Amino acid sequence: MHDMNGDDEWDVFELEAIFEREVDDLFEGLEDVDDEEKAEEVSRMREHVTDHMDANKDGFVQLTEFMEYAKGKEFDHEDPWDTVFNESIGIRSLKSLRSN
């Protein structure tokens, strides 16, 4: 768990820090990407994680919540992340976008 301050939970800032790197990788090699698009993607990822893992709905993901979620079937789900730009232009995967 990427708990930056050692309090056994992820807050908004810790979650977004994790996803900033993921979003940079998602958008790598794409043209006309701005910081606002990346920020929206980070926000969507954070909301997705808290919606699925934050069992007590306090806005944080505690280590115990993460561990419980990791035991479930959804944890190993292999569907790719649907980015905002994929949804808006109907592209199913980044691979097809990059190969063009």
Side-chain angles (χ1 to χ4, degrees):
M1 189 162 168
H2 298 84
D3 179 17
M4 295 178 203
N5 61 4
D7 62 358
D8 290 332
E9 63 186 17
W10 285 327
D11 61 26
V12 171
F13 302 107
E14 290 168 318
L15 286 169
E16 290 187 355
I18 294 166
F19 296 130
E20 284 174 359
R21 288 185 181 155
E22 295 294 323
V23 167
D24 284 342
D25 289 346
L26 280 173
F27 284 84
E28 185 178 333
L30 300 178
E31 296 178 15
D32 300 326
V33 177
D34 63 29
D35 289 338
E36 189 175 313
E37 288 175 302
K38 287 183 175 184
E40 183 177 350
E41 213 55 63
V42 167
S43 178
R44 289 181 70 236
M45 288 178 161
R46 176 187 42 79
E47 289 171 7
H48 178 82
V49 165
T50 55
D51 287 349
H52 287 85
M53 291 187 198
D54 183 14
N56 65 4
K57 304 300 180 198
D58 66 351
F60 300 91
V61 177
Q62 283 81 24
L63 177 58
T64 54
E65 291 171 325
F66 173 79
M67 297 302 289
E68 192 61 35
Y69 183 81
K71 294 176 188 176
K73 291 179 183 178
E74 282 191 40
F75 187 72
D76 265 345
H77 204 266
E78 294 189 19
D79 282 345
W81 175 253
D82 289 326
T83 61
V84 170
F85 61 83
N86 281 355
E87 292 172 3
S88 65
I89 60 177
I91 295 174
R92 297 300 300 165
S93 73
L94 285 171
K95 289 180 183 176
S96 65
L97 183 63
R98 288 185 177 149
S99 65
N100 291 332

